[in-house]
Amino acid sequence: SRLQAAPVPPSRERDSAKLSIRSRGPLAAMSFAKQLVVDCRGHLLGRLSSIIAKELLNGQQMVLLRAEDVNMSGSLYRAKLKYANFKRKKTNSNPRHGPFHQRAPSKILWRTIRGMVPHKTARGAAALDRLKCFEGIPHPFDRKKRMVIPAALKVLRLRPERKFCKLGDLSNLFGWKHAALITRLEDQRKVKSAAFHKKKVAVTRARAESVKKVKVSAEDQKVLEAAGFA
């Protein structure tokens, strides 16, 4: 689980106490940070959006990555029919007045969250300003710690025999043209990430071995024990 190391501030505890029992579960382990970066891969669209919406309204800044890998329950064919029905809806007198049908996965995710926020009020508009959504993992977020939300993970919330699909596949069917570009950039990022991880593991192992070889005098050992480091 994520974000359980830091204690929850009193103001957040009061806010959580006002929530219903059903919604309090996934938020109980949340803690306030300057900015939270969430890797959306393998999360269910609706569950992820509802938890993110509540955090935004509580004042948390959120960055959502890999929107193209968000999962939706139900087959791709079913999702295609639902989106085609949504795509029909327009202003008869002038379609340019909306509603606007977003194609990019990050924009679809953003709009889903917007539907769970009172975005026409000042409070809701300020909450949406705290949200950023991206396809892939662009710089500088490729160098930041990324979180997951267990309460929204597909493997924990959807029965294994149920059908599901990816948001990126749905976007591809309705005119999103950058799937190949995102795949190429992600492949490049993963190569760099693997090299960094290999180097980090080697440095950590070397440091641990060096610490084992260090000999401490009896006097220094007493000082360390007194300070609580022994």
Side-chain angles (χ1 to χ4, degrees):
S1 63
R2 72 189 189 96
L3 307 173
Q4 294 180 353
V8 180
S11 59
R12 292 293 298 282
E13 288 180 350
R14 287 196 297 272
D15 290 342
S16 296
K18 297 175 185 176
L19 300 174
S20 66
I21 294 175
R22 183 179 177 185
S23 63
R24 191 168 57 210
L27 297 171
M30 291 276 192
S31 64
F32 198 80
K34 186 173 182 180
Q35 186 183 66
L36 289 184
V37 182
V38 178
D39 186 355
C40 297
R41 181 176 179 270
H43 290 71
L44 288 170
L45 178 62
R47 289 179 179 271
L48 173 68
S49 299
S50 62
I51 294 170
I52 296 298
K54 189 61 187 177
E55 287 300 303
L56 292 171
L57 289 169
N58 281 342
Q60 179 67 65
Q61 287 190 15
M62 306 292 290
V63 178
L64 307 183
L65 307 175
R66 291 210 275 190
E68 73 279 4
D69 286 333
V70 169
N71 291 337
M72 295 182 291
S73 59
S75 66
L76 180 60
Y77 179 73
R78 182 173 183 270
K80 185 171 72 170
L81 292 180
K82 288 169 68 176
Y83 198 85
N85 189 43
F86 165 63
K87 200 161 163 283
R88 284 177 52 247
K89 294 175 170 59
K90 59 184 179 179
T91 304
N92 271 345
S93 57
N94 190 349
R96 285 182 295 179
H97 290 172
F100 304 108
H101 314 101
Q102 308 290 352
R103 266 63 165 193
S106 60
K107 291 292 186 181
I108 294 175
L109 177 60
W110 179 87
R111 189 189 165 112
T112 305
I113 296 170
R114 190 192 75 169
M116 302 180 183
V117 171
H119 64 96
K120 294 186 179 182
T121 65
R123 174 172 170 258
L128 277 181
D129 284 342
R130 299 184 199 108
L131 175 65
K132 293 181 181 179
C133 298
F134 298 98
E135 291 94 9
I137 304 181
H139 182 81
F141 305 111
D142 56 341
R143 300 185 180 183
K144 293 190 176 183
K145 185 175 179 63
R146 299 185 288 276
M147 307 292 185
V148 299
I149 302 176
L153 285 174
K154 192 266 297 181
V155 291
L156 299 179
R157 289 295 172 179
L158 196 67
R159 290 172 60 117
E161 72 272 13
R162 298 298 185 188
K163 293 181 180 179
F164 70 95
C165 61
K166 285 186 177 180
L167 186 56
D169 294 338
L170 178 67
S171 294
N172 241 343
L173 293 174
F174 283 96
W176 183 54
K177 301 176 181 178
H178 303 297
L181 170 64
I182 295 297
T183 301
R184 190 172 80 245
L185 292 175
E186 279 294 283
D187 290 343
Q188 293 173 2
R189 180 192 64 80
K190 287 173 184 176
V191 170
K192 292 180 182 178
S193 180
F196 170 79
H197 180 69
K198 186 177 180 180
K199 182 180 177 182
K200 183 179 179 181
V201 168
V203 170
T204 305
R205 186 178 293 125
R207 185 180 184 279
E209 291 174 356
S210 300
V211 169
K212 288 180 182 178
K213 295 177 182 177
V214 171
K215 295 182 180 179
V216 182
S217 64
E219 293 181 3
D220 291 340
Q221 185 67 26
K222 289 180 181 178
V223 174
L224 288 172
E225 289 177 357
F229 292 108

